[in-house]
């Protein structure tokens, strides 16, 4: 198929380039210039070079910016202005040259059709006429991204880096051209929508999030006021290579192949809400430029240059990376313990008939749990690994696992890791919206799911070749778009040779955060980082072959084989930890003869509440437990003590960590009780585990963590951590990574977003989240300390202290959940208000009650203080009193 034909132009349609008029918002006309190339074509372009020269500033290089269709160089006005301001402020001076492609913007209308190869050659003719010398960084958006990459591939001697906003260099086989482009290419609609009317232009401008100001939209329309002016828009759409037969397909293939050979620094800035260049195309670019920094602006769309504050990111990248070559992407330092892969513990017990994983959801006729031996698990892992490889799963491919904890999920995880596939794990508790965001953000190439997950993937358009973990009837398989069934994958892998093992610095997993403090983020772990976590857990908690684990906390459920010990997940809804009962824990302990129990605080709350259902045999089983851990969120000494009473021989621990670093500090119940006598505010989470370090970055008067991280006692600030098992990075959130590493000491540190302090004994006390700090007239106030005092009031079950009013003058308000609970939210009764105010160490502007606190989805225990603050502010301002 070829693009729609264009009618020949007449001389009356020709027009030379011109400069921009005065009055365009955000664009100083002094940057506007016209140039004639050696062929006689005239170009309009923006150029900061003369302005830098006027200020006596010599540029270190040039950014060559190329717009797409149907925009023009106005797209880059922010970078033009900000780059000059940065240079005048003493920063590195980068000349910005933003060109209008021929037939577009204020460049010449030549009346000639310009397919992709010609546009790449055109850009070369322009830079030749400009006398452009290196180093050059190309910057492109939409089809300007393809043209800029064509120039980059053809000018390796000048190239210093590539930067891209939403674009594509390859149309995946079997994937349809995006619907908006199919419509624009369709027969009579093509000319009507692109040239006869401004429909294509208006539709593109309408993609901005939020809507463009009227004067900005008017500036984009200015060079395209007549049908004659829009002939280039028509030609650009016609030149989209919809298939291999299109005349521009060979050039697109040439550029795509050339991009994979580029070794210069690269940055990809993306708007995921793009109906044309979806994350499918971002994934392709990441594979071609694996060393690139990638950031997805969560709320941005196709016009990411209008939707997001992107210029600081590019200027920072130019300053730090663009002239330094490709940075190291592996693990820090050269001194590292010998790498022992995660599956080594499983391999070591390959001939063992003892149980490795027990499935409490699949019981036999006698009620006993189904046990999978080490030998059987090892065999199944190898069968699945070889089978997955046989159907096309390769090293670096992402595989999303939407399978409930149990032997199948365990075997899948180790099979993927063994062949170097990257496991993507997102909790069902994130909900449909959160899971959809996670799946599209990670963009897995394969999805292994049970029927419910497959139905969601089909209905919501999640990416990936679908593999069913359950046997399906043929009709159901077709309806769900399933390509393979897991049983057939395993059968295919029987006796097959496995590919080479991945290395320590290869990606191993993308684990999603709980979403309790914003949209869930993907956290990338390398094989080395996961192995370091295994070693830390084994050493600190003395895990051995005969230990056994009961894991009501999913991230640790999969580490049993890595630790070389049997594991079992108790019978529960894993997406709702509060469904776990004391009976289910006792059954799991008895079935596995486990000595260690991992639970989350919400699970513990219900375990304690259902303890009366335990009989003597249950209590005898629980009495064999020697280590009990509450993981995932802070827990009170009272609740931890109540759980410990059910396991009287166990030492109760409450480790502190996060998805980015699953184990940082640890404290026992005895340690918590010892700390109770200390005057410190917050929750004591103990001292760093071996190999971990903790510092605190002090808060300033505005509540920002600006202090140099230190171990000074008594300083309230953001907790900063380091460990060998710290994450590799956030997935496709480069700017979030930079923020997490801002102002930290040399090495790999992470700003946690938690607020607290260290005491004189080196213990860490957590006092809340950075985003929940109240900014009062007296300075920053962390919420957890006051909350602990309020929770001592007999009627209060849980409390949250939040700020209302303007920043810097915020007033503290207590929101409480009572026992017995209230039916409706609102102002607290007078007596309760008086008791809470008397208990609080800070003045409270009001006391409000709610039937139930809003909490996170994973742990069901982290209170959403930001949501409560917005609700309380509305209530106290006289708004409607609804549920928070």
């Amino acid at each position: 198929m070829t693009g729609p034909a264009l009618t020949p132009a007449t001389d009356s349609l020709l027009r030379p380039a011109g400069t921009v008029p005065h009055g365009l918002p955000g664009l100083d006309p002094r940057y506007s210039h016209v140039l004639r190339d050696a062929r006689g074509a005239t170009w309009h372009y923006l150029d900061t070079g003369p302005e830098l020269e006027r200020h006596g500033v010599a540029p270190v290089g040039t950014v060559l910016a190329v717009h797409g269709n149907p925009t023009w160089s106005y797209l880059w006005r922010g970078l033009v202005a900000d780059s000059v301001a940065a240079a005048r402020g003493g920063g590195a001076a980068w000349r910005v040259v933003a060109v209008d492609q021929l037939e577009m913007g204020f460049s010449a209308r030549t009346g000639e059709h310009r397919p992709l190869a010609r546009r790449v050659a055109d850009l070369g003719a322009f830079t030749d006429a400009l006398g452009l010398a290196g180093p050059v960084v190309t910057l492109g958006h939409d089809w300007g991204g393809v043209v800029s990459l064509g120039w980059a591939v053809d000018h390796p001697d000048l190239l210093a880096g590539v930067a891209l906003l939403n674009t594509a260099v390859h149309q995946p086989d079997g994937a349809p051209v995006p619907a908006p482009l199919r419509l624009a290419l369709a027969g009579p609609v093509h000319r009507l929508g692109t040239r006869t009317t401004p429909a294509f232009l208006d539709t593109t401008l309408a993609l901005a999030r939020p809507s463009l100001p009227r004067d900005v939209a008017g500036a984009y329309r200015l060079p395209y006021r007549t049908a004659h002016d829009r002939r280039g828009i028509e030609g650009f759409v016609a030149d989209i290579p919809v298939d291999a037969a299109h005349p521009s397909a060979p050039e697109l293939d040439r550029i795509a192949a050339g991009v994979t050979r580029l070794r210069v620094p690269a940055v990809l800035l993306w708007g995921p809400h793009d109906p044309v260049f979806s994350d499918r195309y971002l994934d392709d670019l990441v594979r071609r430029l694996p060393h690139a920094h990638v950031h997805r602006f969560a709320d941005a769309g196709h016009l990411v240059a209008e939707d997001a504050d992107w210029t600081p990111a590019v200027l920072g990248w130019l300053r730090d990376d663009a002239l330094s070559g490709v940075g190291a992407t592996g693990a820090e330092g050269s001194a590292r313990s010998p790498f022992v892969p995660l599956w080594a513990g499983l391999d070591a017990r390959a001939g063992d008939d003892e149980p490795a994983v027990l499935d409490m959801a699949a019981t036999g006729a006698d009620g006993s749990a189904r046990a999978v031996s080490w030998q059987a698990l090892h065999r199944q892992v190898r069968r699945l690994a070889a089978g997955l490889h046989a159907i096309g799963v390769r090293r670096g491919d992402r595989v999303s696992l939407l399978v409930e904890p149990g032997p199948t999920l365990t075997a899948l995880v180790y099979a993927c890791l063994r062949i170097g596939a990257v496991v993507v794990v997102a909790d069902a508790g994130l909900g449909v919206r959160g899971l959809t965001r996670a799946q599209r953000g990670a963009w897995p190439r394969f999805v292994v799911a049970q029927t419910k997950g497959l139905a969601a993937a089909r209905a919501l358009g999640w990416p990936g070749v679908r593999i069913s973990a359950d046997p399906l009837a043929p009709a159901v398989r077709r309806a769900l778009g399933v390509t393979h069934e897991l049983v057939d994958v395993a059968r295919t892998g029987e006796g097959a040779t496995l590919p080479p093992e991945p290395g320590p610095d290869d990606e191993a997993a993308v684990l999603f955060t709980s979403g309790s403090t914003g949209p869930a983020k993907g956290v990338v772990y390398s094989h080395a980082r996961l192995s370091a976590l295994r070693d830390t857990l084994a050493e600190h908690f003395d895990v051995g072959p005969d230990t056994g684990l009961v894991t009501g906390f999913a991230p640790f459920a999969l580490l049993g084989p890595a630790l070389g010990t049997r594991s079992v997940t108790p019978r529960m809804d894993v997406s709702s930890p509060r469904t776990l009962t004391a009976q289910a824990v006792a059954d799991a302990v008895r079935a596995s003869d486990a000595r260690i129990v991992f639970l989350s605080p919400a699970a513990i709350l219900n375990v304690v509440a259902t303890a009366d259902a335990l009989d003597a045999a249950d209590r005898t089983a629980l009495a064999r437990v020697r280590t009990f851990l509450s993981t995932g969120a802070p827990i009170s000494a009272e609740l931890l003590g109540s759980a410990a009473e059910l396991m009287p021989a166990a030492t109760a621990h409450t480790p502190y960590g996060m998805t980015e670093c699953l184990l940082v500090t640890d404290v026992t119940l005895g340690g918590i009780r010892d700390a109770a006598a200390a005057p410190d505010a917050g929750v004591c989470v103990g001292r760093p585990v071996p190999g971990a370090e903790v510092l605190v970055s002090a808060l300033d008067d505005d509540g920002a963590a600006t202090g140099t991280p230190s171990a000074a006692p008594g300083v309230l600030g953001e907790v900063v951590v380091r460990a060998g098992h710290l994450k590799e990075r956030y997935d496709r959130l480069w700017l979030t990574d930079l923020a997490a590493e801002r102002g930290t000491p040399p090495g790999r540190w992470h700003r946690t977003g938690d607020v607290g302090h260290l005491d004189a004994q080196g213990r860490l006390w957590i006092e809340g989240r950075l985003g929940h700090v109240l900014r009062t007239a007296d300075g920053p106030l962390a919420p957890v300390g006051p909350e602990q005092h309020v929770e001592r009031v007999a009627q209060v079950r849980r409390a949250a202290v939040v700020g209302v009013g303007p920043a810097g003058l915020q007033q503290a308000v207590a929101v409480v959940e009572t026992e017995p609970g209230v039916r409706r939210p609102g102002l607290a009764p007078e007596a309760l208000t008086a008791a809470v105010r008397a208990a609080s160490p800070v003045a409270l502007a009001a006391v409000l009650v709610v039937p139930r606190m809003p909490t996170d989805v994973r742990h069901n225990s982290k209170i959403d203080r930001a949501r409560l603050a917005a609700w309380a502010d509305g209530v106290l301002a006289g708004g409607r009193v609804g549920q928070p």
Side-chain angles (χ1 to χ4, degrees):
M1 173 180 175
T2 60
L6 302 180
T7 55
T10 65
D11 289 345
S12 64
L13 302 184
L14 307 185
R15 189 187 70 205
T19 56
V20 302
H22 287 262
L24 298 186
L27 179 58
D28 191 324
R30 65 184 167 179
Y31 295 120
S32 178
H33 302 274
V34 169
L35 174 73
R36 181 182 297 274
D37 68 26
R39 305 167 307 176
T42 56
W43 299 73
H44 170 255
Y45 65 105
L46 306 178
D47 190 354
T48 65
E51 183 69 9
L52 294 176
E53 184 178 359
R54 189 170 73 84
H55 289 283
V57 178
V60 298
T62 300
V63 177
L64 177 61
V66 188
H67 68 87
N69 185 33
T71 57
W72 56 286
S73 57
Y74 184 70
L75 182 78
W76 310 115
R77 68 193 182 281
L79 184 63
V80 166
D82 291 352
S83 64
V84 171
R88 293 183 63 183
W94 282 86
R95 177 189 183 188
V96 176
V97 174
V99 63
D100 284 359
Q101 299 193 59
L102 294 177
E103 322 303 331
M104 305 292 288
F106 285 89
S107 282
R109 300 302 191 266
T110 70
E112 300 177 19
H113 181 49
R114 317 195 87 83
L116 178 58
R118 188 169 184 184
R119 288 202 174 276
V120 174
D122 285 343
L123 187 57
F126 167 77
T127 57
D128 288 345
L130 193 65
L132 192 63
V136 175
V137 169
T138 60
L139 169 63
H141 170 250
D142 190 84
W143 284 101
V146 182
V147 175
S148 71
L149 287 172
W151 188 96
V153 168
D154 292 342
H155 295 79
D157 53 328
L158 301 181
L159 190 66
V162 295
L164 297 167
L165 281 60
N166 292 43
T167 188
V169 294
H170 177 65
Q171 176 64 29
D173 295 336
V177 171
L181 295 184
R182 292 201 305 274
L183 178 62
L185 284 163
V189 175
H190 173 237
R191 173 158 297 167
L192 179 67
T194 58
R195 179 178 173 185
T196 307
T197 72
F200 186 82
L201 171 62
D202 291 344
T203 299
T204 301
L205 298 181
L207 295 176
R209 301 166 57 92
S211 298
L212 293 175
R214 181 174 298 180
D215 56 351
V216 171
Y220 275 113
R221 292 188 178 99
L222 190 60
Y224 305 116
R225 288 177 295 184
T226 70
H228 297 331
D229 295 333
R230 294 191 290 270
R231 191 173 187 275
I233 296 176
E234 178 190 15
F236 238 133
V237 172
D239 194 45
I240 297 170
V242 294
D243 55 36
H246 192 283
S248 284
E251 177 67 1
L252 185 64
D253 291 342
R254 183 188 76 86
I255 295 170
V259 169
T260 64
R261 296 190 292 271
L262 294 178
R263 294 295 180 267
V264 294
V267 63
L268 309 175
L269 303 177
W270 210 261
H273 300 280
D274 188 338
V276 179
F277 298 112
S278 67
D279 283 292
R280 177 193 308 279
Y281 300 101
L282 173 61
D283 186 67
D284 176 72
L285 286 167
V286 169
R287 288 175 176 274
R288 296 173 191 276
L289 296 166
H291 58 279
H293 294 304
V294 183
H295 188 83
R296 297 170 76 253
F297 292 96
D299 297 322
H302 178 70
L303 291 176
V304 62
E306 297 292 343
D307 297 347
D309 186 18
W310 67 281
T311 59
V314 168
L315 292 173
W317 173 75
L318 289 170
R319 178 191 66 234
D320 297 335
D321 291 3
L323 294 180
S324 62
V326 180
T329 58
E332 71 207 72
S334 57
R336 185 167 61 188
S337 300
F339 172 63
V340 179
L342 215 62
W343 53 88
L346 178 59
D347 287 351
R349 302 191 67 172
D352 195 334
D353 285 330
E354 291 295 313
V357 179
L358 293 98
D359 187 358
M360 298 303 297
T363 55
D366 60 353
S368 61
R370 182 171 75 93
V372 178
S373 71
W374 289 98
Q375 186 178 63
L377 179 61
H378 182 265
R379 176 171 175 259
Q380 184 69 346
V381 166
R382 292 185 67 86
R383 294 173 73 217
L384 285 174
L388 289 169
H389 191 262
I391 66 170
V393 181
R394 295 292 181 265
R395 180 178 299 190
D397 283 349
R398 294 184 169 189
V399 181
S400 177
L401 301 180
L402 303 174
V403 179
E404 291 186 0
T408 299
L409 178 60
T410 301
L412 275 167
V413 166
Y414 286 90
C416 290
L417 293 175
R418 173 57 185 79
I419 61 174
V422 181
V423 174
V424 178
V425 179
D427 279 354
L430 292 177
V432 171
R433 185 176 180 183
L435 272 175
T436 298
R437 182 192 292 265
Q439 296 299 316
R440 290 180 179 167
W443 203 265
R445 183 155 286 196
F446 296 85
V447 176
V448 185
Q450 291 164 311
T451 306
K452 186 177 179 180
L454 293 169
R458 180 71 167 183
L460 300 168
W462 294 348
V465 174
R466 292 173 199 143
I467 303 171
S468 176
D470 300 326
L472 299 175
V476 175
R477 180 170 168 165
R478 288 192 298 271
L480 296 178
V482 170
T483 305
H484 305 281
E485 288 187 359
L486 202 58
V487 64
D488 296 325
V489 172
R491 190 177 295 119
T492 300
E494 184 70 58
T497 302
L498 292 177
E501 296 183 355
D505 297 328
D506 287 332
E507 288 185 14
V510 180
L511 310 179
F512 276 85
T513 61
S514 67
S516 60
T517 56
K521 299 183 287 292
V523 178
V524 177
Y525 275 87
S526 66
H527 283 271
R529 304 283 173 191
L530 286 183
S531 292
L533 172 63
R534 172 204 59 202
D535 297 342
T536 299
L537 287 168
E539 177 183 354
H540 185 68
F541 294 113
D542 191 23
V543 182
D546 297 322
T547 304
L549 306 176
V550 170
T551 51
F553 185 56
F556 292 123
L558 300 171
L559 284 171
L563 292 163
T565 197
R566 61 190 174 280
S567 61
V568 57
T569 299
R571 192 177 294 106
M572 62 184 293
D573 178 353
V574 293
S575 67
S576 181
R578 61 168 62 99
T579 60
L580 182 63
T581 65
Q583 183 67 63
V585 174
D587 289 343
V589 169
R590 183 163 42 238
S592 62
D593 195 25
R595 298 294 185 264
I596 299 181
V597 174
F598 285 78
L599 300 178
S600 70
I604 293 170
L605 195 65
N606 199 53
V607 166
V608 171
T610 57
D612 289 345
L614 297 174
D615 60 23
D618 296 328
R619 293 183 182 275
T620 298
L622 291 174
R624 293 198 294 270
V625 176
R626 62 170 173 79
T627 304
F628 164 60
L629 299 99
S630 169
T631 56
I635 184 172
S636 69
E638 291 76 19
L639 181 56
L640 190 64
S642 297
E645 288 177 5
L646 301 177
M647 295 168 265
T651 301
H653 296 251
T654 176
Y656 163 73
M658 63 286 307
T659 308
E660 297 85 345
C661 192
L662 286 164
L663 184 60
V664 178
T665 68
D666 183 35
V667 64
T668 64
L669 177 58
I672 293 173
R673 287 170 172 164
D674 289 344
D680 301 73
V683 176
C684 179
V685 294
R687 297 178 179 83
V689 299
E693 299 175 68
V694 175
L695 300 175
V696 171
S697 173
L699 302 184
D700 59 22
D701 290 341
D702 293 325
T706 57
T708 301
S710 77
V715 176
L716 177 64
E718 184 178 13
V719 178
V720 183
V721 304
R722 176 165 75 168
H725 52 278
L726 176 65
K727 69 172 173 66
E728 204 68 44
R729 66 181 182 281
Y730 286 118
D731 186 41
R732 301 177 184 182
L733 291 171
W734 168 56
L735 299 180
T736 307
D737 269 323
L738 291 182
E741 297 164 3
R742 172 188 54 83
T744 57
R748 296 186 72 260
W749 291 82
H750 171 69
R751 288 181 173 269
T752 64
D754 288 332
V755 171
H757 70 276
L758 292 164
D759 65 17
Q761 299 179 48
R763 298 176 299 191
L764 177 63
W765 296 72
I766 297 298
E767 300 182 64
R769 293 285 295 173
L770 188 61
H772 300 159
V773 170
L774 284 69
R775 289 177 281 177
T776 74
D778 297 324
L781 172 67
V784 171
E787 289 168 358
Q788 290 175 313
H789 285 270
V790 170
E791 286 173 349
R792 292 171 189 159
V793 174
Q795 195 179 339
V796 174
R797 182 172 181 266
R798 286 193 291 186
V801 172
V802 299
V804 298
L809 296 172
Q810 283 187 323
Q811 304 291 309
V813 170
V815 182
V816 299
E817 180 183 319
T818 61
E819 203 164 26
V822 298
R823 295 183 59 187
R824 296 183 179 86
L827 291 171
E830 185 175 337
L832 178 59
T833 297
V836 168
R837 281 180 165 152
S840 173
V842 298
L844 297 174
V847 179
L848 302 174
V849 292
V850 293
R852 191 170 189 171
M853 292 287 191
T855 61
D856 69 295
V857 293
R858 175 177 293 171
H859 308 293
N860 303 156
S861 57
K862 294 180 180 178
I863 295 173
D864 190 342
R865 295 189 185 92
R867 182 172 163 185
L868 283 177
W871 172 78
D873 207 36
V875 169
L876 296 177
R880 176 176 170 274
V881 183
Q883 295 290 343

